[in-house]
Amino acid sequence: MAHVGELDGFAGNAHLISFFARTAGSGDVAVVNFDCPAGELPSRDPDSGCETLDIVGMYGDALEVHIDKQLKNGSVSGSVRAYQGEDENGEPIWGETYQLEAVMAGTGDAVITREHQEGFRHWSKDRPAVATSGHLGDMDLAGAVGNIGHLKESFKY
């Protein structure tokens, strides 16, 4: 989702926020921070006038993720921690923790995709999620777009 305006604790005046959660309980969040002309939506297009400042990656390993079998409803809740790099021993350095609470309602027809290439198998079923509500810390996620889906991948050597 796009956010125009400053967010406490994040650089810039425009942001793209995305998240991905797995039913196994883990998930990733990214906040891409931009400096854009006043009132402009964040964009990576060089002609937009926006400059990408940085990306704040976050990770959650104890998320509650629920998806119904028809992919019409989904929810994610739990804490995610900002990743700030690694120490001299290669251990992650964690920053601020944010609460993620999101509810999605899928609409439209479900789309099934199958791929088989040289031992790689991919199967997915996705339904667009257009009615989203919730928050990431103080950030309102209302109006975010994305999908609710099931994914299975494998590789045989």
Short mmCIF file of all heavy atoms in Angstrom, two decimals, residues 38-77:
data_model
loop_
_atom_site.label_atom_id
_atom_site.label_comp_id
_atom_site.label_asym_id
_atom_site.label_seq_id
_atom_site.Cartn_x
_atom_site.Cartn_y
_atom_site.Cartn_z
N ALA A 38 5.82 17.23 -2.84
CA ALA A 38 4.67 17.33 -1.94
C ALA A 38 3.41 16.72 -2.55
O ALA A 38 3.04 17.03 -3.67
CB ALA A 38 4.41 18.79 -1.58
N GLY A 39 2.79 15.80 -1.79
CA GLY A 39 1.53 15.19 -2.19
C GLY A 39 1.64 14.07 -3.19
O GLY A 39 0.63 13.44 -3.52
N GLU A 40 2.82 13.76 -3.70
CA GLU A 40 3.00 12.70 -4.70
C GLU A 40 3.00 11.32 -4.05
O GLU A 40 3.57 11.14 -2.97
CB GLU A 40 4.31 12.88 -5.47
CG GLU A 40 4.31 14.03 -6.43
CD GLU A 40 3.38 13.82 -7.60
OE1 GLU A 40 3.35 12.71 -8.16
OE2 GLU A 40 2.67 14.77 -7.95
N LEU A 41 2.39 10.35 -4.73
CA LEU A 41 2.45 8.97 -4.28
C LEU A 41 3.87 8.44 -4.46
O LEU A 41 4.57 8.83 -5.41
CB LEU A 41 1.49 8.10 -5.10
CG LEU A 41 0.01 8.28 -4.82
CD1 LEU A 41 -0.81 7.48 -5.82
CD2 LEU A 41 -0.34 7.87 -3.40
N PRO A 42 4.33 7.57 -3.58
CA PRO A 42 5.68 7.02 -3.72
C PRO A 42 5.78 6.19 -5.00
O PRO A 42 4.85 5.48 -5.38
CB PRO A 42 5.84 6.14 -2.48
CG PRO A 42 4.45 5.85 -2.01
CD PRO A 42 3.61 7.01 -2.44
N SER A 43 6.93 6.31 -5.67
CA SER A 43 7.13 5.59 -6.92
C SER A 43 8.62 5.36 -7.16
O SER A 43 9.45 6.23 -6.83
CB SER A 43 6.55 6.38 -8.09
OG SER A 43 6.85 5.76 -9.31
N ARG A 44 8.94 4.23 -7.76
CA ARG A 44 10.33 3.95 -8.15
C ARG A 44 10.61 4.43 -9.57
O ARG A 44 11.72 4.33 -10.04
CB ARG A 44 10.60 2.45 -8.03
CG ARG A 44 10.61 2.01 -6.59
CD ARG A 44 11.04 0.58 -6.46
NE ARG A 44 11.19 0.26 -5.04
CZ ARG A 44 10.90 -0.90 -4.52
NH1 ARG A 44 10.45 -1.85 -5.27
NH2 ARG A 44 11.07 -1.11 -3.24
N ASP A 45 9.61 4.96 -10.24
CA ASP A 45 9.77 5.50 -11.59
C ASP A 45 10.69 6.71 -11.53
O ASP A 45 10.41 7.67 -10.81
CB ASP A 45 8.40 5.89 -12.14
CG ASP A 45 8.46 6.46 -13.54
OD1 ASP A 45 9.57 6.73 -14.06
OD2 ASP A 45 7.39 6.65 -14.14
N PRO A 46 11.80 6.70 -12.29
CA PRO A 46 12.74 7.81 -12.24
C PRO A 46 12.12 9.16 -12.63
O PRO A 46 12.60 10.21 -12.20
CB PRO A 46 13.84 7.43 -13.23
CG PRO A 46 13.58 6.03 -13.64
CD PRO A 46 12.21 5.65 -13.20
N ASP A 47 11.05 9.15 -13.41
CA ASP A 47 10.40 10.39 -13.83
C ASP A 47 9.40 10.92 -12.81
O ASP A 47 8.82 11.99 -13.01
CB ASP A 47 9.68 10.18 -15.17
CG ASP A 47 10.65 9.85 -16.29
OD1 ASP A 47 11.81 10.31 -16.23
OD2 ASP A 47 10.26 9.12 -17.22
N SER A 48 9.20 10.20 -11.70
CA SER A 48 8.20 10.61 -10.71
C SER A 48 8.67 11.77 -9.83
O SER A 48 7.88 12.43 -9.19
CB SER A 48 7.83 9.44 -9.81
OG SER A 48 8.92 9.12 -8.96
N GLY A 49 9.98 11.97 -9.78
CA GLY A 49 10.52 12.98 -8.88
C GLY A 49 10.79 12.44 -7.48
O GLY A 49 11.27 13.16 -6.61
N CYS A 50 10.48 11.17 -7.24
CA CYS A 50 10.71 10.55 -5.93
C CYS A 50 12.11 9.94 -5.87
O CYS A 50 12.59 9.35 -6.84
CB CYS A 50 9.69 9.45 -5.68
SG CYS A 50 7.99 10.02 -5.52
N GLU A 51 12.73 10.07 -4.72
CA GLU A 51 14.03 9.46 -4.47
C GLU A 51 13.85 8.37 -3.41
O GLU A 51 13.28 8.63 -2.34
CB GLU A 51 15.01 10.51 -3.96
CG GLU A 51 16.34 9.95 -3.57
CD GLU A 51 17.25 10.97 -2.90
OE1 GLU A 51 16.89 12.17 -2.85
OE2 GLU A 51 18.31 10.56 -2.40
N THR A 52 14.31 7.16 -3.70
CA THR A 52 14.26 6.08 -2.72
C THR A 52 15.33 6.35 -1.66
O THR A 52 16.51 6.52 -1.99
CB THR A 52 14.52 4.71 -3.38
OG1 THR A 52 13.57 4.51 -4.43
CG2 THR A 52 14.41 3.58 -2.37
N LEU A 53 14.92 6.39 -0.40
CA LEU A 53 15.85 6.67 0.69
C LEU A 53 16.42 5.40 1.29
O LEU A 53 17.61 5.23 1.40
CB LEU A 53 15.16 7.50 1.77
CG LEU A 53 14.62 8.86 1.32
CD1 LEU A 53 13.87 9.54 2.45
CD2 LEU A 53 15.76 9.74 0.82
N ASP A 54 15.54 4.48 1.72
CA ASP A 54 15.98 3.22 2.30
C ASP A 54 14.79 2.28 2.40
O ASP A 54 13.66 2.65 2.12
CB ASP A 54 16.63 3.41 3.67
CG ASP A 54 15.70 3.96 4.74
OD1 ASP A 54 14.52 4.26 4.44
OD2 ASP A 54 16.13 4.07 5.90
N ILE A 55 15.09 1.05 2.77
CA ILE A 55 14.06 0.03 2.98
C ILE A 55 14.24 -0.52 4.39
O ILE A 55 15.35 -0.89 4.79
CB ILE A 55 14.18 -1.12 1.96
CG1 ILE A 55 14.02 -0.59 0.54
CG2 ILE A 55 13.16 -2.21 2.25
CD1 ILE A 55 14.31 -1.61 -0.53
N VAL A 56 13.15 -0.54 5.15
CA VAL A 56 13.17 -1.13 6.49
C VAL A 56 12.49 -2.49 6.38
O VAL A 56 11.31 -2.58 6.09
CB VAL A 56 12.44 -0.23 7.51
CG1 VAL A 56 12.42 -0.89 8.88
CG2 VAL A 56 13.09 1.15 7.57
N GLY A 57 13.28 -3.55 6.58
CA GLY A 57 12.74 -4.90 6.56
C GLY A 57 12.39 -5.34 7.97
O GLY A 57 13.07 -4.98 8.93
N MET A 58 11.30 -6.09 8.08
CA MET A 58 10.86 -6.59 9.38
C MET A 58 10.53 -8.08 9.24
O MET A 58 10.21 -8.55 8.17
CB MET A 58 9.62 -5.84 9.86
CG MET A 58 9.84 -4.36 10.01
SD MET A 58 8.31 -3.55 10.48
CE MET A 58 8.61 -1.92 9.82
N TYR A 59 10.61 -8.78 10.37
CA TYR A 59 10.35 -10.21 10.37
C TYR A 59 9.56 -10.59 11.60
O TYR A 59 9.83 -10.09 12.70
CB TYR A 59 11.67 -10.99 10.32
CG TYR A 59 11.48 -12.48 10.30
CD1 TYR A 59 11.02 -13.12 9.16
CD2 TYR A 59 11.73 -13.24 11.42
CE1 TYR A 59 10.83 -14.48 9.15
CE2 TYR A 59 11.55 -14.61 11.42
CZ TYR A 59 11.10 -15.22 10.27
OH TYR A 59 10.90 -16.58 10.25
N GLY A 60 8.59 -11.46 11.42
CA GLY A 60 7.82 -12.01 12.53
C GLY A 60 7.89 -13.52 12.47
O GLY A 60 7.72 -14.11 11.41
N ASP A 61 8.16 -14.17 13.61
CA ASP A 61 8.26 -15.62 13.59
C ASP A 61 7.21 -16.31 14.47
O ASP A 61 7.22 -17.51 14.63
CB ASP A 61 9.66 -16.08 14.01
CG ASP A 61 10.08 -15.58 15.37
OD1 ASP A 61 9.27 -14.93 16.07
OD2 ASP A 61 11.23 -15.85 15.76
N ALA A 62 6.28 -15.51 15.01
CA ALA A 62 5.20 -16.09 15.83
C ALA A 62 3.88 -15.41 15.49
O ALA A 62 3.13 -15.00 16.37
CB ALA A 62 5.52 -15.96 17.31
N LEU A 63 3.59 -15.29 14.20
CA LEU A 63 2.36 -14.64 13.75
C LEU A 63 1.21 -15.64 13.74
O LEU A 63 1.41 -16.82 13.50
CB LEU A 63 2.54 -14.08 12.34
CG LEU A 63 3.62 -13.04 12.14
CD1 LEU A 63 3.76 -12.69 10.67
CD2 LEU A 63 3.32 -11.79 12.96
N GLU A 64 0.03 -15.13 14.01
CA GLU A 64 -1.18 -15.94 13.86
C GLU A 64 -1.77 -15.62 12.51
O GLU A 64 -2.14 -14.47 12.25
CB GLU A 64 -2.17 -15.62 14.98
CG GLU A 64 -1.66 -16.04 16.32
CD GLU A 64 -2.76 -16.58 17.21
OE1 GLU A 64 -3.87 -16.86 16.71
OE2 GLU A 64 -2.49 -16.70 18.39
N VAL A 65 -1.81 -16.61 11.64
CA VAL A 65 -2.30 -16.42 10.28
C VAL A 65 -3.47 -17.38 10.06
O VAL A 65 -3.33 -18.58 10.29
CB VAL A 65 -1.19 -16.70 9.24
CG1 VAL A 65 -1.71 -16.52 7.83
CG2 VAL A 65 0.01 -15.81 9.49
N HIS A 66 -4.59 -16.83 9.64
CA HIS A 66 -5.77 -17.65 9.38
C HIS A 66 -6.28 -17.34 7.98
O HIS A 66 -6.43 -16.17 7.61
CB HIS A 66 -6.88 -17.37 10.40
CG HIS A 66 -6.45 -17.64 11.81
ND1 HIS A 66 -6.38 -18.91 12.33
CD2 HIS A 66 -6.04 -16.81 12.79
CE1 HIS A 66 -5.95 -18.84 13.57
NE2 HIS A 66 -5.74 -17.58 13.88
N ILE A 67 -6.54 -18.40 7.22
CA ILE A 67 -7.10 -18.27 5.87
C ILE A 67 -8.18 -19.33 5.73
O ILE A 67 -7.93 -20.51 6.01
CB ILE A 67 -6.02 -18.49 4.79
CG1 ILE A 67 -4.92 -17.44 4.92
CG2 ILE A 67 -6.64 -18.43 3.40
CD1 ILE A 67 -3.74 -17.70 4.00
N ASP A 68 -9.37 -18.93 5.29
CA ASP A 68 -10.41 -19.94 5.10
C ASP A 68 -10.15 -20.71 3.80
O ASP A 68 -9.39 -20.27 2.94
CB ASP A 68 -11.81 -19.33 5.14
CG ASP A 68 -12.18 -18.57 3.89
OD1 ASP A 68 -11.29 -18.25 3.09
OD2 ASP A 68 -13.37 -18.30 3.71
N LYS A 69 -10.73 -21.89 3.67
CA LYS A 69 -10.45 -22.78 2.54
C LYS A 69 -10.84 -22.19 1.19
O LYS A 69 -10.25 -22.52 0.17
CB LYS A 69 -11.13 -24.13 2.75
CG LYS A 69 -10.50 -24.92 3.86
CD LYS A 69 -11.09 -26.29 3.98
CE LYS A 69 -10.43 -26.97 5.16
NZ LYS A 69 -10.43 -28.39 5.08
N GLN A 70 -11.84 -21.33 1.16
CA GLN A 70 -12.27 -20.72 -0.09
C GLN A 70 -11.46 -19.46 -0.41
O GLN A 70 -11.70 -18.81 -1.42
CB GLN A 70 -13.76 -20.37 -0.05
CG GLN A 70 -14.67 -21.58 -0.01
CD GLN A 70 -14.76 -22.16 1.40
OE1 GLN A 70 -14.63 -21.45 2.40
NE2 GLN A 70 -14.96 -23.46 1.48
N LEU A 71 -10.52 -19.08 0.44
CA LEU A 71 -9.68 -17.90 0.28
C LEU A 71 -10.49 -16.61 0.26
O LEU A 71 -10.09 -15.62 -0.35
CB LEU A 71 -8.82 -17.99 -0.99
CG LEU A 71 -7.95 -19.22 -1.15
CD1 LEU A 71 -7.19 -19.18 -2.46
CD2 LEU A 71 -7.00 -19.37 0.01
N LYS A 72 -11.63 -16.60 0.93
CA LYS A 72 -12.46 -15.40 0.97
C LYS A 72 -12.10 -14.49 2.13
O LYS A 72 -12.40 -13.30 2.09
CB LYS A 72 -13.93 -15.77 1.01
CG LYS A 72 -14.40 -16.40 -0.28
CD LYS A 72 -15.88 -16.62 -0.29
CE LYS A 72 -16.29 -17.20 -1.64
NZ LYS A 72 -17.71 -17.32 -1.77
N ASN A 73 -11.49 -15.03 3.17
CA ASN A 73 -11.13 -14.24 4.35
C ASN A 73 -9.76 -14.66 4.86
O ASN A 73 -9.42 -15.85 4.85
CB ASN A 73 -12.15 -14.44 5.48
CG ASN A 73 -13.52 -13.97 5.08
OD1 ASN A 73 -13.73 -12.78 4.90
ND2 ASN A 73 -14.45 -14.90 4.91
N GLY A 74 -9.02 -13.69 5.34
CA GLY A 74 -7.73 -13.96 5.93
C GLY A 74 -7.42 -12.96 7.01
O GLY A 74 -7.94 -11.84 7.00
N SER A 75 -6.58 -13.35 7.96
CA SER A 75 -6.16 -12.42 9.00
C SER A 75 -4.73 -12.75 9.42
O SER A 75 -4.29 -13.90 9.32
CB SER A 75 -7.09 -12.47 10.20
OG SER A 75 -7.01 -13.73 10.82
N VAL A 76 -4.03 -11.71 9.85
CA VAL A 76 -2.66 -11.84 10.34
C VAL A 76 -2.56 -10.98 11.59
O VAL A 76 -2.99 -9.83 11.60
CB VAL A 76 -1.63 -11.31 9.30
CG1 VAL A 76 -0.22 -11.42 9.84
CG2 VAL A 76 -1.76 -12.03 7.97
N SER A 77 -1.99 -11.55 12.66
CA SER A 77 -1.75 -10.75 13.86
C SER A 77 -0.48 -11.23 14.55
O SER A 77 -0.13 -12.41 14.48
CB SER A 77 -2.94 -10.81 14.82
OG SER A 77 -3.12 -12.11 15.29
#
